[in-house]
Amino acid sequence: MTSGKKHILLNAFNMNAVGHINHGLWTHPRDQSHRYKTLDYWTSLAATLERGLFDGLFLADIIGVYDVYQGSSDLTVRESIQLPVNDPMLLVSGMAAVTKHLGFGITANLNAEPPYLFARRMSTLDHLTDGRIGWNVVTGYLDSAARALGQDALAEHDLRYDQADDYLEVLYKLWEGSWDDDAVRLDRAARIFADPSKVRRIAHDGPFYRSHGTHLSEPSRQRTPVLYQAGTSGRGRRFAARHAECVFVTAADKTAARTASRALREAFVAAGRRAEDVKLFVGITVVTDATGKAAEAKLADYIAHANPEAGVAHFSASTGIDFSAYDLDDPIVYGRSNAMQSATQLAQERRLTKRDLMNELKIGGRYPIIVGDGAAVADELQSWIEDGEIDGFNLTRTVVPESYEDFIAFVVPVLQERGLYKTSYAEGAFRQKLFGEGDRLGPRHVAAGYRFPTNASGA
């Protein structure tokens, strides 16, 4: 193996649903995404990803439905645009049972559950996976979700991040401070399972959340799960600099990725952390085969089954703009969005028309696509890492499980030969595998301020 080269980090990007990013491909005769309701579908996928040495399986999620395009959810229902969608958390235990190293990143909207209960659910999964859990912190972007949860409308964009700050503070107090590391004694002779002097109630009275109680779970291997975040708006960057360890960047090209990377790393340094305290991932679609010609033919086959209008409907929900109201070449008014500001800003900067969107979303996704044999794909991935100044990729699915199997068969061996991809898993929990600095959050992270010393007396 070539020494001194940076290993590419790789997540499989998926969702507990038929449709995720590349829409319409459920109609492809080889696609198995309709089997998402079966445990075997997921355990088989997890075993495949571990065979390919993927760092993690990242599971997206939404609450609510896409109903901005045409002012209706009809197309969403017909094309299964992330509907129906099942709970991603319930998949993890089954997949963990057939793997030893694969990490699991779970998207969960903090508006949907009180922090006290959410803390226990994540600790439980961290226990059951022996420290392989990550959480993608999202604040939501759909008015339909807010209405379904009994709210009048989605809260203002920056206010949602203020709420998230308060939510995370409750979680840090529970995960990091409620139990000492040595609280559990399991002393049968003395009849002491846990030492009461090393277990304490938290007290939190914040602007959005109030919680007074003891964390229901004993400390898990990581305590706090690996923290993911996807917002790259100004407020999103400030939130990431305070909390995130991994950030997902949407970038149409390497220049945009490099700009976002530098801005995020500068924000981390300004917040008292190091530039290397964050791992940056770009969403990407890969279509590969034994030869470039075969890969191009496969792409054409996929496009024949895809629905670009479904991709536009998805993008409508992301930006809050009903693109059905525009003709193909009409200039589109991209105002300030209360949905995904980063998505709206990107479309505005590139002055995308509906025709542009239909073309770019021809296999449904809004991420860059790489087509070619293993060597050509490896060349491009390496270029993204070096020129885009990122750390890895979220590999979107096209035809399932074919797209992941193809990547493992044709691309992974080339990356390994070049010393750009691991040939075995490192030991340790998910955080240790990603950063190499221990299973738990380091001293520069804000959560460290909520820890108690081992010999602290109970409150």
Side-chain angles (χ1 to χ4, degrees):
M1 177 181 289
T2 304
S3 61
K5 290 187 178 180
K6 179 179 180 179
H7 280 180
I8 292 173
L9 298 176
L10 191 65
N11 292 320
F13 198 19
N14 211 322
M15 195 169 190
N16 194 1
V18 176
H20 181 208
I21 296 295
N22 297 312
H23 297 295
L25 291 173
W26 62 271
T27 63
H28 195 283
R30 294 194 301 274
D31 185 74
Q32 296 294 307
S33 62
H34 63 280
R35 295 183 56 240
Y36 77 101
K37 307 179 297 295
T38 68
L39 189 57
D40 177 68
Y41 173 85
W42 292 103
T43 55
S44 177
L45 173 61
T48 295
L49 297 176
E50 182 146 287
R51 175 169 55 84
L53 300 178
F54 276 62
D55 295 282
L57 169 59
F58 178 75
L59 292 166
D61 191 34
I62 59 165
I63 300 173
V65 300
Y66 296 145
D67 58 2
V68 175
Y69 190 75
Q70 299 174 337
S72 165
S73 62
D74 287 356
L75 182 60
T76 294
V77 173
R78 285 198 304 272
E79 278 289 353
S80 190
I81 308 173
Q82 299 186 2
L83 184 76
V85 55
N86 283 351
D87 190 328
M89 281 195 179
L90 299 182
L91 302 174
V92 172
S93 293
M95 292 190 289
V98 299
T99 57
K100 293 182 178 180
H101 296 282
L102 184 70
F104 301 98
I106 304 166
T107 299
N109 187 331
L110 56 81
N111 287 309
E113 187 173 13
Y116 186 71
L117 296 179
F118 180 75
R120 179 176 68 167
R121 292 217 292 158
M122 294 303 282
S123 292
T124 301
L125 286 179
D126 204 51
H127 281 301
L128 294 176
T129 62
D130 193 24
R132 290 189 277 151
I133 289 298
W135 172 33
N136 179 33
V137 186
V138 298
T139 61
Y141 64 95
L142 298 177
D143 272 326
S144 65
R147 293 191 298 269
L149 291 170
Q151 303 162 12
D152 292 333
L154 195 65
E156 189 271 331
H157 177 272
D158 286 5
L159 185 65
R160 300 200 300 271
Y161 277 115
D162 294 340
Q163 181 179 350
D165 279 326
D166 197 38
Y167 195 100
L168 266 293
E169 185 174 343
V170 178
L171 294 179
Y172 295 148
K173 289 178 178 179
L174 291 166
W175 284 330
E176 299 289 339
S178 188
W179 291 66
D180 287 354
D181 283 341
D182 59 351
V184 174
R185 286 174 49 180
L186 191 54
D187 187 337
R188 291 183 172 90
R191 301 196 64 84
I192 299 175
F193 180 81
D195 185 342
S197 71
K198 296 178 182 294
V199 181
R200 62 192 61 79
R201 292 191 315 138
I202 71 157
H204 182 85
D205 294 282
F208 298 92
Y209 298 97
R210 183 169 183 260
S211 182
H212 291 247
T214 302
H215 186 32
L216 294 169
S217 301
E218 64 181 85
S220 65
R221 183 167 182 176
Q222 294 187 121
R223 284 190 179 258
T224 297
V226 175
L227 297 173
Y228 291 78
Q229 197 257 348
T232 53
S233 64
R235 183 63 179 91
R237 280 198 302 272
R238 293 196 300 275
F239 181 85
R242 180 174 172 80
H243 302 286
E245 298 172 88
C246 301
V247 176
F248 302 130
V249 177
T250 299
D253 54 43
K254 298 160 198 172
T255 299
R258 182 169 62 249
T259 299
S261 171
R262 291 180 178 180
L264 280 162
R265 295 189 198 278
E266 288 171 2
F268 268 63
V269 172
R273 301 170 71 186
R274 302 176 306 180
E276 60 267 31
D277 285 342
V278 61
K279 300 294 185 184
L280 301 177
F281 294 80
V282 164
I284 204 153
T285 297
V286 171
V287 179
T288 187
D289 211 307
T291 67
K293 185 176 180 180
E296 292 287 352
K298 185 178 288 181
L299 174 63
D301 178 38
Y302 289 173
I303 290 173
H305 290 86
N307 186 339
E309 187 181 21
V312 174
H314 186 177
F315 197 59
S316 279
S318 299
T319 59
I321 299 169
D322 183 2
F323 293 108
S324 71
Y326 293 90
D327 289 332
L328 287 176
D329 297 308
D330 285 349
I332 296 173
V333 179
Y334 292 97
R336 180 177 174 83
S337 172
N338 195 35
M340 286 186 180
Q341 287 192 3
S342 55
T344 306
Q345 181 180 353
L346 182 63
Q348 184 176 25
E349 290 172 352
R350 299 178 63 207
R351 299 181 181 179
L352 296 177
T353 65
K354 187 176 178 181
R355 186 186 301 275
D356 295 328
L357 290 171
M358 294 286 283
N359 181 59
E360 291 195 3
L361 303 176
K362 58 190 174 186
I363 61 168
R366 55 183 180 271
Y367 299 139
I369 182 167
I370 301 174
V371 184
D373 64 11
V377 172
D379 287 343
E380 191 64 9
L381 294 178
Q382 182 175 359
S383 178
W384 270 90
I385 293 291
E386 294 173 352
D387 298 338
E389 299 180 7
I390 60 171
D391 301 286
F393 302 94
N394 281 344
L395 182 65
T396 66
R397 61 172 162 99
T398 48
V399 171
V400 186
E402 180 174 293
S403 59
Y404 298 129
E405 292 172 341
D406 286 347
F407 190 92
I408 293 168
F410 300 116
V411 181
V412 166
V414 179
L415 293 174
Q416 289 174 328
E417 289 170 4
R418 298 180 183 183
L420 297 170
Y421 193 73
K422 58 187 170 298
T423 56
S424 63
Y425 283 106
E427 293 303 316
F430 195 18
R431 179 174 287 112
Q432 170 68 19
K433 286 179 166 66
L434 291 172
F435 291 92
E437 295 184 343
D439 291 349
R440 294 183 175 172
L441 282 166
R444 292 175 301 278
H445 194 279
V446 64
Y450 297 95
R451 293 174 183 152
F452 283 80
T454 301
N455 62 357
S457 60

